[in-house]
Amino acid sequence: MASVTLNEITHQYYEGNDATVAVEDVNLEIEDGEFVVLVGPSGCGKSTTLEILSGLLQPTTGRVLFGDENVTGQPARKRDIAMVFQNYALYPHMTVKENMAFPLEQRSGITGEEATDIVTDAAEMMGIGDLLDRLPGDLSGGQRQRVALGRAIVRDPEVFLMDEPLSNLDAKLRREMRIELQELHAELGTTTIYVTHNQEEAMTMADKIVILNRGEIQQVGPPQTVYENPANRFVADFIGEPSMNFFNGEIATDGFVIGGDADPIALNGVSVPAGREAVLSVRPENIATVAPGEGDVDGTVRLVELLGSHFEAHVTLPNGDDVIAILETDTTVEEGDAIGLRFDRDSVHLFDAASGDRFD
Ligand code: ADP
Ligand code: MG
């Protein structure tokens, strides 16, 4: 197995004279056996980064290392990787068994009984042992993706590269596969780099999350760290569902002023000079409802949504800002109520309005 390093990777695509910088100055260290998720909105450079890791694409500048070996110039077939894509990329005229055995024969020359044993093991692992003689056309989407994963397992590579492998599956199946992939990783321990635009997938699966935006890394860290201490406003907004609430305002000597004639919100331990334009954020689950005048802000309940395990209350502030608060199902808050909202001080973040970076 191998650690993987991206060293000052930049990639530009050229279309005629137009250059698109898809990935810019990416530095990343992935430890041996780690499950790393690259996450970010569509077009942020995830697939480009993965293709550079695979060798399908050569970076404009920068180096790729597997362990200590510089593999930058090596094509994909020379690298000890197995890829899984969103579209399963199975051979339609081959059975499941043949699809899974194909890379074994191609890459390692393993055929016959030995190949059958390896394929059977991987098929059992993916729960498709009874589908080996079927053609891909006779399988459901979920089953096809299991075959694609099984085929990757058969290769027993140093590194798995997966590009949105679950995105074509329905929500329930995606959840199941997510858990199975984690179990698989626990069993095999293979270094895995997994790309998704889905922050929930990233949060639940990753040992380490890498958040990308516009081709640049925004933050790298364990899911909980990224969730609790977002490095900038982009990360704060991208990670978590429903999203954080953001308030534009200004730092005053006695706290943060949202604007209008609201009282300042007292802050703990933030040493930002008064007068700075800032953005305060707080997650919906870190807001409590209190009587008007007793919280940090007052507002009017616009809508209460029941989501089974909890409520989401949409509250309109006097300045027009909309705040989402998660409430217990025993709440008595109703639409039209005037209420106060109290922010959990330990869960409030302040960002520089201009740069979006967090004030520490
Ligand atoms: P993601 O996988 O995060 O959606 P991509 O890596 O596919 O993002 O794309 C990153 C950027 O590079 C986007 O702006 C995209 O339009 C551009 N891009 C991707 N592939 C090509 C290509 N073959 N030619 C030109 N531009 C491309
Ligand atoms: Mg992509």
Short mmCIF file of all heavy atoms in Angstrom, two decimals, residues 8 48 304 339:
data_model
loop_
_atom_site.label_atom_id
_atom_site.label_comp_id
_atom_site.label_asym_id
_atom_site.label_seq_id
_atom_site.Cartn_x
_atom_site.Cartn_y
_atom_site.Cartn_z
N GLU A 8 2.25 20.84 -5.11
CA GLU A 8 2.09 22.06 -5.92
C GLU A 8 1.52 21.78 -7.30
O GLU A 8 2.07 22.19 -8.33
CB GLU A 8 3.43 22.79 -6.01
CG GLU A 8 3.83 23.28 -4.62
CD GLU A 8 5.08 24.13 -4.61
OE1 GLU A 8 5.55 24.50 -5.70
OE2 GLU A 8 5.55 24.44 -3.52
N THR A 48 -10.63 16.57 -12.00
CA THR A 48 -9.31 16.89 -12.54
C THR A 48 -8.22 16.40 -11.59
O THR A 48 -7.25 15.77 -12.01
CB THR A 48 -9.19 18.41 -12.78
OG1 THR A 48 -10.22 18.81 -13.67
CG2 THR A 48 -7.84 18.78 -13.34
N VAL A 304 -42.71 26.95 10.26
CA VAL A 304 -42.16 25.84 11.04
C VAL A 304 -42.32 24.57 10.21
O VAL A 304 -43.43 24.22 9.82
CB VAL A 304 -42.87 25.68 12.40
CG1 VAL A 304 -42.26 24.50 13.16
CG2 VAL A 304 -42.76 26.95 13.22
N ILE A 339 -40.49 35.83 18.83
CA ILE A 339 -39.62 35.07 19.75
C ILE A 339 -38.23 35.68 19.81
O ILE A 339 -37.87 36.53 18.99
CB ILE A 339 -39.47 33.59 19.33
CG1 ILE A 339 -38.88 33.49 17.91
CG2 ILE A 339 -40.77 32.83 19.43
CD1 ILE A 339 -38.42 32.08 17.58
#
